[in-house]
C-alpha cells in the first residue's frame, strides 16, 4: 500500500526514551489508520478499530499468540479472531459484529498493552462504498511515477557531478612547468641559518617538508627532519635539475592493536506474558513482604496405610490430596491464619480456598481448589487433576486462578527433601512440601516422614502463630481418620 510506504519517519540511529518511543509509535499508528482507508484493502471505507481487550482484572498487556483469521476473511459476530496470552492463561478474542478483517496491524508481538490497536475491520453495511477506488489507485500510480522520475533525474545529476573531467593538454603542460620550477623556488627561499644547517648536515632542501608561508623552509623544519632520522644526501655535488619532483619515501603506518572482542556465548530468550508476571510478582513479594519461616517434620505412616486401603477400593488419592485437606481443616480450626494484609490492616477471609502450584512450560501457576474444607478426598483429587490439565494447556479461566487464601507448593515428587517458597501476594502464607524419607521414630521403628516449611507474612502471621498452625497441621496429617478427611 502506498500509504504505508510513504511513512515520513526514520528511526535508524535514533535513541529515544521509552515514553517518547511509545508516543511516536502511537502517532505513526494513527497516521497509518488515517491513510489506510485509501488502500485497496479498505476501498475507501472508514475502518473499525480492533482493540486489545482487558481479559482479566490484573491484565495490563498481552501477547498475540496466533491469529485465527487472515486478512480479507469474512467474520461473523462471535467468531474467534486471535488467541491472546494473558499473564495467566491463553484466551480467544471474539468479534463483536459482522464484517471483514481488512488489516492486521500487530501480527505476533509480546507486551501489547490493553486498548492498543491490533487490527482493522470494515463493516458488512459499508461494503458497497467502493466508488473512488480506481481514481485513488490512478492518483497513487501517478504520484509514484512522478516520484520515480524525480529520483532518476537526481541520480543522473549526481553521476555527472561525481564523474572526473578529462585533463586538457594545456593543463598538463602548466603542471609540468610548475613541477620543474618547484625545486628551484625551494632553494632560493632559504634563510642563512637554514642554509648553514643544510650545509653542515649535507641535506637537500627538496627532500625536507616545509611548513612556512608560501612553502618557505624554516629552521624548525630542518631540525624536525633531523630528529626524525633524516639522512644526508649521497652526492656532495649540487643536485642536477630534474623535470620530475622526487616522490616522498613511503612510510609504513603503525597499526594499533585491535581490542579484544569476546565471542557471544549466550542466547537471549524473550519472556512470555506469564514469565514476565511471575518475575514482577516475586520481586514485589520479596521486596515488600517481611517473610518469616518455620518448619516441622510430619510422620505419614497413617496416610500411607489409608492410601493402600483406598486403593483396594479403586479410590486413587495422592499424598498431596491429603495435604490439601489437612491444610484446609487446619485453617478452619485457626481462622486467624486465613487472612491477608490490606491497606495497613489485617483482613480475615471467610472462605478457605487453597491455591495449588502447577508446573507448566511457561512457569508456575496456582489454580484454586474452592471451599476445600467441605470437599472429600476424592473430590479434591478429581478437582486437582482437572485444574492441572487446564493449566498445562493454557485453558484456565480467570475465576480458576484468581484469589485464594493459602498456597501449597509440593516438590517431593522431584526428590527434593525440603525447600523455601516465596509468598504469593496478596496471600500471607505458602507451605513448601518436601519428599518422604525413611527414619527411626521415638520407639526406634522405621517410619516415613516429610518436612514442611511455612513462609508467612510476619505482619499477619508471626512466629508464634505460625508454630501453632504447624503443630495443628502435624496432628491432622498424622491422624487423618479422626478429622473425617474422607
Amino acid at each position: 500500500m502506498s500509504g504505508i510506504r510513504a511513512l515520513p519517519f526514520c528511526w535508524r540511529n535514533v535513541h529515544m526514551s521509552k515514553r517518547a518511543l511509545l508516543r511516536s509509535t502511537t502517532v505513526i499508528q494513527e497516521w497509518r489508520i488515517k491513510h489506510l482507508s485509501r488502500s485497496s484493502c479498505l476501498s475507501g471505507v472508514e475502518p473499525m478499530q480492533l482493540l486489545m481487550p482487558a481479559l482479566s482484572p490484573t491484565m495490563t498487556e498481552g501477547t498475540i499468540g496466533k491469529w485465527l483469521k487472515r486478512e480479507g476473511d469474512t467474520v461473523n459476530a462471535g467468531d474467534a479472531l486471535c488467541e491472546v496470552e494473558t499473564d495467566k492463561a491463553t484466551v480467544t478474542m471474539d468479534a463483536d459484529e459482522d464484517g471483514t478483517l481488512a488489516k492486521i496491524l500487530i501480527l505476533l508481538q509480546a507486551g501489547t498493552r490493553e486498548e492498543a490497536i491490533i487490527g482493522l475491520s470494515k463493516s458488512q453495511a459499508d461494503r458497497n462504498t467502493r466508488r473512488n477506488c480506481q481514481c485513488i489507485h490512478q492518483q497513487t500510480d501517478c504520484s509514484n511515477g512522478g516520484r520515480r522520475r524525480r529520483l532518476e533525474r537526481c541520480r543522473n545529476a549526481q553521476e555527472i557531478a561525481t564523474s572526473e573531467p578529462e585533463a586538457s593538454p594545456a593543463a598538463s603542460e602548466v603542471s609540468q612547468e610548475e613541477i620543474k620550477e618547484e625545486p628551484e623556488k625551494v632553494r632560493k627561499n632559504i634563510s642563512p641559518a637554514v642554509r648553514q644547517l643544510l650545509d653542515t648536515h649535507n641535506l637537500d632542501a627538496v627532500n625536507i617538508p616545509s611548513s612556512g608561508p608560501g612553502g618557505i623552509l624554516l629552521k624548525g623544519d630542518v631540525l624536525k627532519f633531523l630528529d626524525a632520522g633524516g639522512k644526508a644526501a649521497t652526492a656532495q655535488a649540487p643536485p642536477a635539475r630534474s623535470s620530475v619532483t622526487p616522490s616522498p619515501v613511503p612510510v609504513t603506518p603503525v597499526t594499533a592493536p585491535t581490542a579484544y572482542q569476546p565471542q557471544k556465548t549466550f542466547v537471549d530468550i524473550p519472556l512470555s506474558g506469564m514469565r514476565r508476571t511471575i518475575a514482577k510478582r516475586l520481586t514485589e513479594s520479596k521486596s515488600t513482604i517481611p517473610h518469616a519461616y518455620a518448619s516441622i517434620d510430619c510422620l505419614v505412616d497413617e496416610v500411607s496405610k489409608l492410601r493402600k486401603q483406598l486403593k483396594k477400593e479403586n479410590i486413587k488419592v495422592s499424598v498431596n490430596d491429603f495435604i490439601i485437606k489437612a491444610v484446609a481443616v487446619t485453617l478452619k480450626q485457626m481462622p486467624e491464619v486465613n487472612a491477608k494484609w490490606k491497606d495497613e490492616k489485617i483482613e480475615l477471609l471467610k472462605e478457605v480456598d487453597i491455591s495449588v502450584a502447577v508446573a507448566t512450560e511457561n512457569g508456575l501457576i496456582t489454580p484454586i481448589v474452592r471451599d476445600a474444607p467441605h470437599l472429600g478426598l476424592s473430590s479434591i483429587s478429581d478437582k486437582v487433576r482437572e485444574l492441572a490439565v487446564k493449566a498445562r494447556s493454557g485453558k484456565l479461566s480467570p475465576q480458576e486462578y484468581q484469589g485464594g487464601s493459602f498456597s501449597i507448593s509440593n516438590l517431593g515428587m522431584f526428590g527434593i527433601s525440603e525447600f523455601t517458597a516465596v509468598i504469593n501476594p496478596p496471600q500471607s502464607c505458602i507451605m513448601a512440601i518436601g519428599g518422604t524419607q525413611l527414619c527411626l521414630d521415638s520407639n526406634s521403628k522405621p517410619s516415613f516422614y516429610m518436612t514442611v516449611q511455612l513462609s508467612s507474612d510476619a505482619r499477619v502471621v508471626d512466629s508464634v502463630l505460625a508454630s501453632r498452625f504447624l503443630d495443628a497441621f502435624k496432628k491432622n496429617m498424622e491422624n487423618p481418620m479422626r478429622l473425617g478427611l474422607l
Side-chain angles (χ1 to χ4, degrees), residues 61-64 85-87 109-112 267-281 283 361-363:
E61 57 184 28
T63 301
I64 299 177
E85 298 178 4
T86 66
D87 53 352
Q109 180 174 338
T112 305
V267 177
D268 293 328
I269 301 176
L271 291 179
S272 62
M274 182 183 295
R275 284 284 186 186
R276 192 179 296 108
T277 302
I278 291 173
K280 179 181 178 181
R281 291 173 66 85
T283 304
E361 292 182 357
N362 295 325

Side-chain angles (χ1 to χ4, degrees), residues 53 55-56 59 63 65-66 68 82-86 88-94 394-398 401:
L55 301 175
S56 67
M59 175 182 171
T63 301
K66 179 175 63 175
L68 304 178
C82 61
E83 293 182 355
V84 179
E85 298 178 4
T86 66
K88 296 292 185 180
T90 301
V91 186
T92 58
M93 174 183 170
D94 300 333
K395 302 299 182 182
L396 284 174
S397 62
Y401 60 79

Side-chain angles (χ1 to χ4, degrees), residues 158-235:
Q158 185 177 5
E159 292 177 356
I160 294 173
T162 55
S163 62
E164 296 183 357
E166 296 181 357
S168 61
S172 61
E173 291 177 1
V174 172
S175 61
Q176 292 294 332
E177 291 296 330
E178 291 179 353
I179 291 174
K180 294 178 180 178
E181 295 178 358
E182 188 65 25
E184 191 66 26
K185 290 181 180 180
V186 171
R187 293 188 182 91
K188 288 181 179 180
N189 298 329
I190 294 177
S191 65
V194 175
R195 189 176 299 278
Q196 182 181 2
L197 279 175
L198 294 176
D199 295 340
T200 302
H201 297 281
N202 193 19
L203 299 176
D204 190 353
V206 179
N207 298 330
I208 302 175
S210 59
S211 62
I216 299 176
L217 185 64
L218 302 179
K219 183 178 179 180
D221 298 333
V222 180
L223 295 176
K224 188 183 296 183
F225 182 76
L226 292 173
D227 293 340
K231 297 181 179 180
T234 56

